[in-house]
Amino acid sequence: MEIDKTKEVVLRCAIIMVGLPARGKTYMSKKLARYLNWIGYRAKVFNVGEARRQEIPTSINNADFFRADNSDAIEMRNKCAMSVLQQMLQWMKDSGPSIGIYDATNSTKARRRLILEHLMAVHNVNILFVESLCDDPDVIETNIKDVKIMSPDYENVSREQAVEDFKQRIKYYERSYEPLDIDYDKNISFLKIFNLGSKFIANKIKSHMQSRIIYYFMNISVLPRVIYITRAGETNGNMMGLVGGDDDLSDRGIQYARSLAEFIDRNNMKDIVVWSSLMRSALKTCDTLKPFVATVSRLKALNELDNGSFEGLTQEDIRCRFPEEYTLRENDKYYYRYPSGESYQDLVVRLEPIIMELEKVSNVMVVCHQAVARCLLAYLLDEPREDVPYLDVPLHTVFKLTPHAYGCKVDRISFNIPAVNNYRPKPKGLVSVTSFDESRLRRKMSYSSLTPTSTTKL
Ligand code: ATP
């Protein structure tokens, strides 16, 4: 059946950040975009500060530049802000269903009204203001010292001078700052976040996407911690190159479990919590860790990607016996769903509650499996969707992830215990998904299109 594209309603979502400097707007914007892209939407951050630094020489970006009576600077800043807003609108128009995140202070009623006027001109855009308020001087001080003074604005300035200048910048903003007001702004959709999420106020939430974004913001935290991700030890099935299966550890897998326990003990990680899948190899690996850690939780959501009716075959078996399925997967490994099994896309949906928990938990070690580890790492490291099934996550290796201001530092700790390597890099000359005839691919139970269709309500 032909689809009449003229009848399709393309819905878009705009997130407008609001807040004084050093209130975590960029932090939250980047994190939100990473999350939305990971769950399958198309999201992008448009940061006015970065554009300002490109347009205007950094030498004049000192606090004076942000004074309310510096008319030349105000003109430059307004021009920059509007140009970035236009870029976001253009991107949203060109991208179909999309989520644009406008990262700027947007600190006055007049500025927010202007933004609304521009956004209303775009058909069917769903607008959510997100304001971060923080009056804890220690938090602000830390944000300034750990993050803000690293900005290119302060390239050739001493640390002390930079801190003072940034504080002065905040003072200038405070003079004209008008927070979102429950009465004045009663007709717009907004979320107010107080002191790192100790309190929230949500107003006029109109769509599933808006509630999902609010839910995400209610789960994230800035808690300093370390996340360790490892595959369970090598299994007998791994050694035979089998797809899926719920096998026992090989001798080398048992050795890895012991070494992992020693690693935890040696590094005095007794407060760490461990999350294991319910699969035999992970449970066996975690059994060895139990005496050295705080708790071990078993989470079914961490089970390996379900290979459906192909469980127990090798890739070579699949290639010879089911060549069409093999080709479909080779061409689109992320979206391809094994017959009666799962795709990477399905796995991401299954792992979403794990991500929410991961955002809140303190130090944690996740003992899981190749595809699950790939999806978790993709979220934490902001890897593009098409690369997720090709992330190299070898056996007997721990990925140590330390969150910092706008991302995560990753260290790979390889244990010197041999293991089979079934890694297959991305095939060269892949036919891109978009140039495929989708209707041919979208077969019941074996393929699902990830991208939200244009009629999906954002
Ligand atoms: P500017 O307007 O100058 O660009 P900003 O509001 O974008 O400032 P960020 O650059 O995002 O500020 O500040 C990053 C710091 O904010 C990080 O150290 C992070 O821990 C912290 N942070 C994250 N969320 C919040 C929050 N809700 N309130 C205060 N600080 C936060």
Side-chain angles (χ1 to χ4, degrees):
M1 192 185 76
E2 278 292 299
I3 298 170
D4 182 356
K5 296 254 180 196
T6 60
K7 298 271 166 69
E8 288 188 36
V9 183
V10 178
L11 287 150
R12 299 172 173 94
C13 201
I15 312 296
I16 314 299
M17 301 306 292
V18 176
L20 289 166
R23 263 56 181 183
K25 298 182 299 297
T26 301
Y27 172 90
M28 290 190 282
S29 303
K30 286 184 185 241
K31 238 180 134 96
L32 179 67
R34 176 153 64 88
Y35 164 71
L36 293 170
N37 284 317
W38 184 75
I39 56 174
Y41 293 96
R42 196 178 293 125
K44 190 168 169 186
V45 179
F46 292 81
N47 179 299
V48 173
E50 272 169 30
R52 169 179 56 78
R53 280 186 280 273
Q54 276 168 19
E55 295 286 314
I56 303 161
T58 49
S59 53
I60 62 162
N61 281 348
N62 55 26
D64 258 6
F65 190 73
F66 299 91
R67 258 185 17 234
D69 59 353
N70 186 343
S71 49
D72 286 349
I74 288 174
E75 201 185 317
M76 283 192 250
R77 282 164 54 202
N78 287 348
K79 211 169 133 206
C80 219
M82 285 304 113
S83 142
V84 174
L85 184 65
Q86 285 308 333
Q87 284 168 29
M88 180 169 107
L89 292 177
Q90 193 56 51
W91 176 81
M92 288 167 78
K93 278 183 195 157
D94 295 344
S95 303
S98 52
I99 301 152
I101 304 170
Y102 187 57
D103 177 13
T105 46
N106 301 317
S107 54
T108 62
K109 288 178 181 165
R111 169 54 52 90
R112 296 193 289 269
R113 210 167 30 243
L114 191 63
I115 294 171
L116 270 175
E117 280 164 19
H118 279 80
L119 286 171
M120 299 299 224
V122 183
H123 192 51
N124 260 319
V125 69
N126 201 279
I127 306 160
L128 175 70
F129 287 84
V130 176
E131 179 178 34
S132 173
L133 296 132
C134 183
D135 57 10
D136 181 335
D138 292 342
V139 173
I140 306 303
E141 186 84 14
T142 309
N143 290 353
I144 295 174
K145 287 186 174 159
D146 289 359
V147 183
K148 303 314 306 184
I149 59 167
M150 309 303 168
S151 144
D153 283 352
Y154 297 117
E155 236 163 31
N156 301 312
V157 179
S158 77
R159 196 179 150 81
E160 292 70 30
Q161 256 182 307
V163 170
E164 278 321 300
D165 187 84
F166 201 86
K167 286 183 178 168
Q168 188 56 48
R169 182 191 299 193
I170 296 178
K171 279 193 189 135
Y172 286 141
Y173 268 102
E174 276 169 344
R175 285 181 198 163
S176 55
Y177 187 56
E178 297 170 299
L180 286 162
D181 184 272
I182 297 175
D183 294 321
Y184 181 86
D185 293 307
K186 63 178 184 293
N187 293 323
I188 62 174
S189 306
F190 67 75
L191 171 70
K192 283 168 89 78
I193 305 172
F194 297 87
N195 286 331
L196 296 166
S198 59
K199 187 172 102 177
F200 298 87
I201 295 178
N203 185 67
K204 275 232 176 313
I205 301 311
K206 291 185 193 135
S207 66
H208 168 68
M209 177 50 70
Q210 289 184 347
S211 0
R212 206 160 175 178
I213 289 169
I214 291 174
Y215 172 63
Y216 181 68
F217 281 137
M218 290 180 85
N219 276 282
I220 61 173
S221 77
V222 295
L223 198 71
R225 74 270 173 67
V226 182
I227 299 165
Y228 297 89
I229 296 178
T230 177
R231 291 170 66 180
E234 181 192 67
T235 65
N236 295 322
N238 291 145
M239 292 182 78
M240 290 185 275
L242 303 184
V243 164
D246 188 10
D247 296 301
D248 281 320
L249 294 176
S250 67
D251 289 344
R252 299 189 300 195
I254 294 170
Q255 216 184 322
Y256 175 64
R258 288 194 192 124
S259 296
L260 194 56
E262 279 165 25
F263 170 82
I264 290 173
D265 190 28
R266 201 170 51 246
N267 289 289
N268 196 17
M269 292 156 62
K270 56 181 181 303
D271 292 334
I272 201 161
V273 298
V274 174
W275 295 350
S276 166
S277 79
L278 292 194
M279 304 191 80
R280 207 170 283 163
S281 57
L283 291 174
K284 287 276 178 214
T285 305
C286 291
D287 274 349
T288 324
L289 311 184
K290 271 182 191 158
F292 306 98
V293 299
T295 54
V296 176
S297 304
R298 301 167 169 214
L299 303 165
K300 191 171 177 216
L302 289 173
N303 281 8
E304 182 55 320
L305 185 142
D306 183 348
N307 297 275
S309 28
F310 289 175
E311 289 270 324
L313 301 181
T314 63
Q315 287 297 338
E316 192 50 23
D317 290 336
I318 301 172
R319 196 178 66 80
C320 297
R321 290 168 55 190
F322 307 98
E324 196 190 332
E325 293 291 330
Y326 184 85
T327 308
L328 283 172
R329 187 158 197 266
E330 285 293 285
N331 279 308
D332 192 0
K333 200 172 169 188
Y334 186 88
Y335 297 129
Y336 173 83
R337 178 183 288 148
Y338 278 108
S340 307
E342 288 178 304
S343 63
Y344 270 88
Q345 176 204 354
D346 295 329
L347 194 51
V348 162
V349 173
R350 163 148 72 82
L351 287 170
E352 199 188 346
I354 296 282
I355 290 300
M356 293 299 166
E357 280 300 314
L358 207 56
E359 284 292 345
K360 280 190 295 222
V361 75
S362 52
N363 297 337
V364 61
M365 177 173 281
V366 186
V367 180
C368 54
H369 311 277
Q370 177 161 254
V372 171
R374 282 175 173 157
C375 292
L376 297 178
L377 286 169
Y379 169 76
L380 293 162
L381 300 174
D382 202 12
E383 297 287 351
R385 202 173 306 152
E386 58 278 14
D387 291 348
V388 177
Y390 302 102
L391 295 179
D392 187 13
V393 187
L395 283 160
H396 303 174
T397 304
V398 171
F399 286 76
K400 178 182 176 191
L401 297 124
T402 316
H404 57 74
Y406 303 138
C408 260
K409 173 175 176 282
V410 60
D411 295 301
R412 265 167 82 134
I413 305 160
S414 298
F415 286 59
N416 202 11
I417 299 164
V420 69
N421 182 1
N422 293 331
Y423 177 70
R424 295 186 311 131
K426 200 175 200 167
K428 293 229 161 43
L430 268 187
V431 181
S432 106
V433 184
T434 45
S435 63
F436 258 89
D437 169 6
E438 271 211 42
S439 57
R440 187 172 69 82
L441 287 172
R442 213 180 290 166
R443 307 182 333 276
K444 196 175 175 224
M445 293 307 289
S446 66
Y447 184 85
S448 61
S449 162
L450 173 78
T451 328
T453 62
S454 49
T455 44
T456 304
K457 191 168 186 332
L458 296 177

